[in-house]
Amino acid sequence: MQNITSTSIMYEFENAQLGDERLSKRLCRLAERFEHQPQASIPEATGSWGQACGAYRFFDNEEVDPEDILASHTARTLERAQTEALMLAVADTTSLNYSERPNTKGLGPIGNSTDKAFGLWLQSLLAFTPEGLPLGLLGAHSWARDPEQFGANHQRNQKPIEAKESYKWLRSYQTLQGLAARTPHTRWVMVADREADVYELFELAMGQPDRPALLIRLQHNRALQGFDRRLLAHLARAPQVGTLSVQVPRKKGQPTRRAQLEIRFVPVRLRAPQLKSKRGPLALWALEAREAHPPRGVTPICWRLLTTLAVHTVKQAIEKVQWYCARWGIEVFHKVLKSACAVEAAQLEDVHRLQRLITVRLVVAWRIMWLDRLGRERPTAPISEILEEAQWKLLYWAVYGPGRLPRKKPTVGEGVRWIAQMGGFLGRRGDGNPGPQTLARGLARLDAVSLGWKLAHENKCA
C-alpha cells in the first residue's frame, strides 16, 4: 500500500464540503485539537473561551450534516484502499450511553427498560485490509429509538424491512455498494456478526455478480431447498477439511490465547422464510470453524458463516474464516471511541449537536487505532508515515532527554512505543504492544510538550 496517509488528521478533513470555507477550516481545527487531546472536553481541547464558543456554534449549526463531515475522510479511505486487491468492510452496531445527560433532547432507550438507560445507537462501517489494518471509515449512522415504540417487537413480522431497525444492514451494504464503484480494481467483502443474518440482505447482495460480497455469521437455522433437515444439521454432516490456528483476544477473566479450529464447508440453497415464501431460494456457501479442544472452563469457539462467495477448496474456506477474524477490529474501534476518545462524556443539549460531535470523534478514534495497528503490522516503516521530523525529534527528547538523537532514522514501531511511553507504557520485556488508550494518553502529553516547546521557542526568539 502506498504511503498517502498524512501525519496530520487535518488531511482527512481538508476537502470537506460544508457549504462555507470557514466551516471547513473550523472542522479541521477541531479535529486536530481532538486528536491532540482525545479525552478532553470541548473547552479543554479548544483552550480558550473564544475557540470553545466557535466549536459550540459549529456543532449547533443545522446546515452541517454528519454525512458531509465524514465525506472527506471517506474519500481518503478509498484512496488508501484503491491499491488493495481485496478489502473488508466490517459493520457493527454499538450503543452510546448518555443516561447521565438527562437534559440532552432527543435521546432514546438503549436497554431493556424505557426508564433506565438512554442514549444513541451507532452503526459503523470500517475498512480493513485482510491483515487487519484499518484504513478508515466508509460510513456511520447514529439514531435514537422512539420510546413510544419500545416493546413493539412482537409486531415486527408485519412490517416491511424498510420499517425495521434491521434495515440498517441493508443501508450499510448500499453505502458500500456506492463506494465500491469508485474503486473498480478492489474487491469488497462486507463482514458482520449474527445480527446481520437478514434474508433481504443476502437477496440484495445476490442481485449482480459485481456487487460487494457478504460474509455473515449465521444466526437463523433456516430450511434448505431439497433437504428435510435444516441448515445446522446439514452443516454438521459436512466433513472436516482442515484446521486453522487463530489468536483469540483477551476477554474478562481470560487472557489472550490461541485456538485450533476445525474447518467444514458446504454449498446450500436456503428456502425463504415462511412469511416470505413467495421469494426464491438463495444459493450460498456455509462454513463452520469449531474449536474441538478448548481450555478448561472456556466456552469453545464455534463460528458458522454464510457467504455469497464460492468456496471450493480448503484454502478458500480457511481464507474466509481468517477474514471473519477481522471483525474483532471493529469491536476494538468502538472501545477506542468510548474509552480513549470519551465520546460518552460529551455534554451537549441536543441530539443533533451530539451526532456532529460523534462524527468528528469517530475519525479521531480511527486515527488512534490506525496508529496502534500500524505499529504492529508495519513496525519497520519509516517514522515519517506517522510523525513529521520536528515532532519525532521532540518526542525522542521528551522520552530520552534533550540534546541527543538516534543514530539511525527511527521506524514506525519505535515512534509508536515512544508515544506510548509518554502515556505510561513501561516497555518492559514481556509487556507486549501498547494499547490504544495508552497511545491516546501519550498523544495528549506529546501535545502538552509541543505547546511548551513552542512557547519557549517563541519567547526566546522575542
Side-chain angles (χ1 to χ4, degrees):
M1 184 183 69
Q2 61 182 351
N3 176 26
I4 57 173
T5 303
S6 168
T7 56
S8 170
I9 197 172
M10 295 174 71
Y11 177 78
E12 303 298 315
F13 292 109
E14 65 182 5
N15 293 327
Q17 302 295 319
L18 302 182
D20 187 327
E21 187 177 351
R22 291 173 298 177
L23 287 174
S24 300
K25 288 182 178 179
R26 183 168 294 280
L27 171 60
C28 289
R29 289 196 297 269
L30 284 171
E32 184 181 37
R33 298 313 304 153
F34 284 141
E35 182 191 32
H36 291 170
Q37 300 186 64
Q39 297 180 326
S41 64
I42 291 176
E44 288 175 316
T46 52
S48 71
W49 174 241
Q51 291 296 323
C53 287
Y56 285 121
R57 285 195 300 271
F58 178 87
F59 294 123
D60 194 36
N61 192 327
E62 295 180 358
E63 300 298 319
V64 176
D65 191 290
E67 290 188 6
D68 294 334
I69 292 176
L70 196 61
S72 175
H73 165 68
T74 298
R76 295 300 192 194
T77 300
L78 295 178
E79 287 179 23
R80 290 184 280 269
Q82 67 183 352
T83 58
E84 301 287 338
L86 182 131
M87 285 295 301
L88 306 176
V90 183
D92 196 25
T93 307
T94 190
S95 62
L96 302 177
N97 193 331
Y98 295 103
S99 298
E100 296 183 4
R101 308 283 180 262
N103 294 329
T104 301
K105 300 175 183 177
L107 298 176
I110 58 173
N112 296 322
S113 175
T114 55
D115 59 354
K116 290 186 179 179
F118 268 73
L120 293 171
W121 289 93
L122 172 68
Q123 172 104 2
S124 303
L125 187 64
L126 197 60
F128 287 90
T129 65
E131 296 74 31
L133 184 65
L135 299 191
L137 284 147
L138 299 167
H141 175 68
S142 60
W143 70 95
R145 286 176 175 166
D146 185 355
E148 299 297 326
Q149 297 296 318
F150 190 85
N153 282 346
H154 62 282
Q155 302 174 1
R156 64 182 180 274
N157 289 334
Q158 284 71 47
K159 297 179 180 179
I161 186 65
E162 293 79 7
K164 298 179 182 179
E165 194 171 283
S166 55
Y167 185 69
K168 62 190 176 185
W169 302 107
L170 280 74
R171 183 191 297 113
S172 288
Y173 183 84
Q174 289 165 342
T175 297
L176 175 61
Q177 184 180 347
L179 296 175
R182 294 160 59 180
T183 54
H185 302 296
T186 302
R187 181 71 162 111
W188 288 91
V189 180
M190 179 173 161
V191 182
D193 210 3
R194 285 175 287 201
E195 194 185 349
D197 183 6
V198 177
Y199 195 84
E200 289 87 348
L201 176 61
F202 286 102
E203 270 191 326
L204 181 60
M206 297 289 286
Q208 295 177 8
D210 59 343
R211 290 186 178 183
L214 290 177
L215 180 63
I216 308 295
R217 189 172 176 185
L218 185 154
Q219 181 181 28
H220 303 291
N221 189 16
R222 301 188 187 276
L224 298 178
Q225 188 86 3
F227 291 93
D228 293 334
R229 57 181 177 267
R230 287 185 171 265
L231 177 55
L232 293 185
H234 188 65
L235 184 54
R237 293 192 180 192
Q240 178 188 336
V241 295
T243 61
L244 173 66
S245 178
V246 300
Q247 185 84 5
V248 183
R250 71 169 179 263
K251 298 180 181 179
K252 288 184 178 179
Q254 296 180 9
T256 301
R257 64 185 180 89
R258 293 208 70 84
Q260 196 76 7
L261 306 181
E262 297 177 349
I263 307 298
R264 293 174 172 82
F265 68 90
V266 65
V268 294
R269 288 178 66 83
L270 305 184
R271 287 213 306 263
Q274 268 191 328
L275 295 176
K276 305 165 187 174
S277 57
K278 293 183 180 180
R279 300 175 185 265
L282 296 177
L284 303 171
W285 289 79
L287 304 95
E288 181 180 271
R290 180 186 291 272
E291 187 178 15
H293 305 289
R296 181 177 297 179
V298 174
T299 303
I301 290 175
C302 183
W303 298 330
R304 299 184 181 99
L305 309 174
L306 287 172
T307 180
T308 57
L309 294 164
V311 183
H312 297 293
T313 66
V314 179
K315 181 180 178 181
Q316 290 174 336
I318 289 176
E319 180 183 59
K320 305 304 179 290
V321 177
Q322 290 173 325
W323 293 350
Y324 180 74
C325 290
R327 203 202 66 79
W328 278 322
I330 201 164
E331 293 187 4
V332 174
F333 170 70
H334 285 151
K335 184 177 180 181
V336 172
L337 179 67
K338 295 177 186 181
S339 58
C341 295
V343 73
E344 292 176 313
Q347 300 186 47
L348 293 171
E349 296 181 353
D350 179 84
V351 71
H352 300 296
R353 301 175 192 172
L354 195 56
Q355 288 170 321
R356 297 181 189 103
L357 174 64
I358 290 169
T359 305
V360 180
R361 295 277 197 185
L362 281 167
V363 182
V364 175
W366 163 75
R367 282 278 298 186
I368 294 171
M369 185 178 174
W370 169 79
L371 187 66
D372 172 45
R373 291 298 176 92
L374 197 67
R376 301 167 192 248
E377 300 293 331
R378 301 174 63 189
T380 59
I383 198 171
S384 57
E385 291 201 10
I386 60 172
L387 294 171
E388 296 174 358
E389 185 173 1
Q391 289 177 307
W392 74 253
K393 286 181 178 179
L394 185 59
L395 174 62
Y396 187 85
W397 291 336
V399 173
Y400 294 106
R404 51 185 292 192
L405 287 173
R407 293 180 180 179
K408 295 181 179 180
K409 194 167 184 179
T411 63
V412 163
E414 290 172 318
V416 169
R417 289 179 77 84
W418 295 340
I419 294 172
Q421 285 178 257
M422 295 283 283
F425 179 67
L426 298 178
R428 300 167 300 185
R429 185 179 298 176
D431 278 351
N433 292 304
Q437 196 156 351
T438 305
L439 290 173
R441 290 196 301 267
L443 288 169
R445 289 198 63 190
L446 177 60
D447 179 62
V449 170
S450 301
L451 178 60
W453 179 86
K454 180 181 178 182
L455 292 174
H457 181 72
E458 290 177 351
N459 184 58
K460 183 179 179 180
C461 291

